[in-house]
Amino acid sequence: MTTMAIHSNLQPSHRRLRIGIVTETYPPEINGVALTVARWIAGLRQRGHHLQLIRARQGDGDAPKPTDSLEILPLPGFRIPGWPAYGALRAHWRRARPDLVHIVTEGPLGYSALRAARRLAIPVSTSFHTNFQHYSRHYHLGWLATPIMAYLRHFHNQGVQTLIPTGELAERLQAAGFRRTQVLTRGVDTRLFSPQRRDSALREAWGATPDAPVALYVGRLAAEKNLELAIAAFLAIRRIQPAARLVLVGDGPLAPRLRVRHPEFAYCGVRRGEELAAHYASADLFLFPSLTETFGNVVLEAMASGLAVVAFDYAAAHAHVRPKHDGLLAPFGDAEAFIAATTALAQDIDALRNLGQAARQAMLKLDSERVYDRLETLFLNAILGEPSCTILC
């Protein structure tokens, strides 16, 4: 991977940028992409930049009120024939031209934005957040993986840069023909996600005694998340720790079936904000069995909350989990190793919680402000046509 130094004379905080950010998902929708984009927007606004948020319309009554530093334009995101957002975006950007358009998602709205920005000669930046080509395999559509990857490569290579959350993923995408990749890691809100939010009453509601290990899964209850492996790992824990409990936070198509098969699990549904933070902090061990993530924000949230992590050795876990120091990693795709790591950690509750304390300390060093500084510099360099380093400097 080629590395270049950031130009020392660039001082992004001294120039107020006008940035159009295009996304087909945004809060109150709950997923890693939506939450990441919302944090980026908050960080950039705090630095005085003006943001145009172009997002998919969320229902018939979607009429958000703009502010001084944020204008919101909800547009159709999924009516593919004719790309109806193209004309609206071209007209809007002729009236209020941004310095840069950053496209978060590669769907119909994102493609409309790509066409409109290029037509108006506005610099385009993109980011790669979701391994759609891998998701198809979990829905018996594996034959779509190759054309999906070809489309993603075509889409992102039309921009001046593609932001990617880890160096590991950047190298894989570069090998697949993606050009001009830039690594932008992610931070975590250590004030929100904190061990101080541990709640004994919540543990009691789960049926967990003070000394019982509580394993936690946070995310969509869906096939592409490899949730069956988390369940298999927990059942292995329960054979050696009968008092152990499994808590599932989230919802999805697998929820009804799981409730029938395993009524003994704690099903908490979708949680947000301080409620979500309390659920993290009240557990002891975080299980992250997914094989399809580009990053996995939940790993950082769990670690910041004081949980040891078991995950596969890739994405956020590869970048941030130090084996035997704040969790354990299994070789990518090795289900038996994942289960073995889970049972190894669950055997000693005191050692498990010590790992969680180490995880918390590691996350305190992951400063979100530094991430926003990097994002700001990448956007300015894209506007100026300047190269920047491909790693988080």
Side-chain angles (χ1 to χ4, degrees), residues 17 45 117 144 175 210 212 312 355 358 389:
L17 306 177
R45 290 179 68 195
L144 286 174
F312 288 113
L355 292 175
C389 68

Side-chain angles (χ1 to χ4, degrees), residues 114-125:
L114 180 64
R115 290 182 60 216
R118 286 174 60 84
R119 181 67 178 267
L120 297 172
I122 300 170
V124 175
S125 171

Side-chain angles (χ1 to χ4, degrees), residues 53-67:
L53 172 61
I54 297 95
R55 57 166 175 77
R57 184 171 290 128
Q58 297 172 332
D60 294 336
D62 190 358
K65 295 182 179 179
T67 67

